Amino acid sequence: MTNDTIAAIATPPGTGGVAVIRISGPDAEAVLKKVFPRASFTHGQMVYGSVRRNGELLDTVMAVLFYAPKSYTGEQTAELHCHGSAVGVRRVLGYVLECGARPAEPGEFTRRAFLNGKMDLSQAEAVCDFISASSQAGAKASLGQLAGKLKERVLSYQDRLTDALARVEAVVEYPEENLEEEVSEELLPVLKELQKGLLGLADTYRAGRIAKEGLRVAIAGKPNVGKSSLLNALAGMDRAIVADVPGTTRDTIEQGVDIGGIMIYLTDTAGIRSTSDEIEAQGVKRSENAINESKLAIFMLDGSGEITEEDHLAMRTLKKSKADLLVVLNKLDARERLSEKDVKKEFGVLPLRISAKTGAGIDELKQKLLKYAEQDKTAGELLITNERHVFALRRAAGEIGEAMEAMEQGIDMDCVTIDLNAAWASLGEITGKTVSEEIIDRIFTKFCLGK
């Protein structure tokens, strides 16, 4: 299927200023010339003209041709830049397909770029991540991988494994030299350092996933502690209704906030308490679900009152969840009746004092949220954002661990060779050197049409 010519709309559906139709394959130039008659093209040069089908004007467009291998896919590639009319661009695409191209499958252009050596598999996956990035941090992480940073790191690990394999295979090849002990002493610290590097890179997945998907934070506590006011203060807008009446919030309210380039998805929950009100009870249940789905929960206490049984009920609910906990003591603007020491004594956690009403302490709270989101960011600018890559890194680290254990126990070096080769192959799954066709198919079906 890589020997035919494909075409698709490469821009989002709907109405806009410009819509792009991409054509790629061995007959891209021939198809372009049927649609957009012209004697010759200069590589990469835009040309203005019209697309006519049986004399009927379909659109006036800009056309460009890229000769192989200097194109996105590495093949002959053409583009038609049409007016952004949903109807008009579909008519032009229909004519392109009549002239010899077939409809592209999701991700097929990028798949061809991978198969033609224009990028490795980690870079191809980064294309999809960059397109769907919802924050500056996510876009930055994807661009780093698209630029080849992960590929370079993985290749450096594979080079070190290749060197280790060469030493081990020399021992296997020349057993009469009795080099097992010498080579083991030489390689064990090298492999240990390599394993540490692999696990350290894998550990950035937590920060990488947050950069890519955002951080979900639930604001929880008993009724009327200021949860809705805090949501509004962090969002910088009146997103939730605020009133002095306990139980005003009956349902969860979500708002995304960009803090330091990371999307924080805040959920204002209904006050947690025992209630006979059926509607309020449903709100409490939804609050519990929102907490369970969050990575972090902000537990709010009322600094102008005393700790109550409802506060303890809210804390017990939070402790049952998997969410990490950040405690804030609200209403710094009111007369203080509850101190940080009181909270520490009661719940074992030192709270952050804030006033959701006046904004006092909100900047410090934002910094704490940002610090939480970026913890475990131990690999500099390189973050792992793909679960498949994490599994490959940890599997390779485990296989290196088995090789080291075999060396330490004096097991035959043939077993060490098997483990080190397995680690090399696991790393190759990240770049695509050793990945199966099934995994490649699964990866590219996640792409949008036209990319």
Side-chain angles (χ1 to χ4, degrees), residues 257-389:
V257 181
D258 188 322
I259 298 178
I262 291 178
M263 281 302 297
I264 310 289
Y265 295 101
L266 300 165
T267 303
D268 176 22
T269 64
I272 297 173
R273 65 173 174 179
S274 298
T275 177
S276 58
D277 185 310
E278 184 179 344
I279 295 176
E280 187 177 1
Q282 289 183 25
V284 172
K285 182 62 178 177
R286 290 191 181 189
S287 296
E288 292 173 355
N289 292 338
I291 292 166
N292 288 328
E293 292 170 1
S294 298
K295 185 70 176 174
L296 178 68
I298 297 175
F299 176 42
M300 289 194 73
L301 292 163
D302 183 352
S304 67
E306 297 176 349
I307 294 174
T308 67
E309 177 53 36
E310 286 183 339
D311 290 316
H312 282 285
L313 174 61
M315 176 58 93
R316 288 195 295 272
T317 300
L318 290 167
K319 285 186 174 180
K320 288 178 185 177
S321 75
K322 294 181 180 179
D324 293 328
L325 200 61
L326 176 61
V327 181
V328 297
L329 192 54
N330 190 30
K331 302 188 181 179
L332 182 61
D333 54 289
R335 184 170 65 88
E336 180 182 302
R337 296 178 62 185
L338 192 62
S339 69
E340 290 99 322
K341 289 182 180 179
D342 294 331
V343 176
K344 173 75 172 177
K345 182 179 179 181
E346 195 75 22
F347 297 112
V349 182
L350 194 66
L352 171 67
R353 289 197 67 88
I354 67 164
S355 171
K357 183 177 180 179
T358 67
I362 295 299
D363 286 342
E364 187 178 350
L365 177 57
K366 286 181 177 181
Q367 288 305 309
K368 282 186 175 292
L369 291 174
L370 187 59
K371 185 177 180 181
Y372 176 86
E374 291 186 332
Q375 65 178 307
D376 301 329
K377 189 176 177 181
T378 57
E381 294 299 312
L382 180 57
L383 294 177
I384 298 299
T385 59
N386 189 305
E387 191 174 23
R388 190 181 72 83
H389 299 166

Side-chain angles (χ1 to χ4, degrees), residues 88-284:
V89 72
R90 283 199 299 269
R91 293 184 72 198
V92 174
L93 175 62
Y95 187 34
V96 168
L97 299 179
E98 284 180 28
C99 291
R102 70 161 173 82
E105 297 177 357
E108 192 168 3
F109 292 100
T110 304
R111 179 175 183 144
R112 290 188 176 201
F114 163 65
L115 294 174
N116 290 327
K118 299 296 289 186
M119 58 180 70
D120 81 316
L121 198 54
S122 69
Q123 291 171 298
E125 289 171 294
V127 171
C128 190
D129 288 346
F130 182 63
I131 291 171
S132 60
S134 60
S135 68
Q136 294 180 42
K140 188 175 181 180
S142 301
L143 278 176
Q145 294 188 19
L146 187 55
K149 288 182 179 179
L150 179 56
K151 172 186 176 182
E152 291 170 6
R153 184 74 65 88
V154 169
L155 290 177
S156 72
Y157 290 150
Q158 286 184 309
D159 285 344
R160 289 157 71 181
L161 277 173
T162 299
D163 292 340
L165 272 165
R167 295 289 290 133
V168 173
E169 286 172 353
V171 173
V172 174
E173 190 71 23
Y174 303 103
E176 67 278 3
E177 298 293 334
N178 295 319
L179 297 172
E180 289 91 339
E181 187 174 342
E182 177 185 335
V183 170
S184 293
E185 289 180 0
E186 174 192 338
L187 290 183
L188 277 171
V190 173
L191 293 175
K192 187 174 182 179
E193 183 65 25
L194 180 54
Q195 185 188 49
K196 180 181 177 182
L198 290 170
L199 292 174
L201 184 56
D203 285 344
T204 67
Y205 177 59
R206 180 190 172 282
R209 186 174 180 181
I210 290 173
K212 177 182 175 181
E213 300 175 3
L215 174 65
R216 295 203 165 271
V217 179
I219 305 173
K222 69 180 182 183
N224 208 33
V225 292
K227 298 184 296 296
S228 297
S229 296
L230 178 58
L231 176 72
N232 292 341
L234 289 170
M237 60 186 289
D238 290 335
R239 177 66 177 86
I241 297 173
V242 176
D244 291 332
V245 180
T248 299
T249 301
R250 295 295 186 98
D251 201 353
T252 56
I253 299 172
E254 186 174 290
Q255 178 65 42
V257 181
D258 188 322
I259 298 178
I262 291 178
M263 281 302 297
I264 310 289
Y265 295 101
L266 300 165
T267 303
D268 176 22
T269 64
I272 297 173
R273 65 173 174 179
S274 298
T275 177
S276 58
D277 185 310
E278 184 179 344
I279 295 176
E280 187 177 1
Q282 289 183 25
V284 172

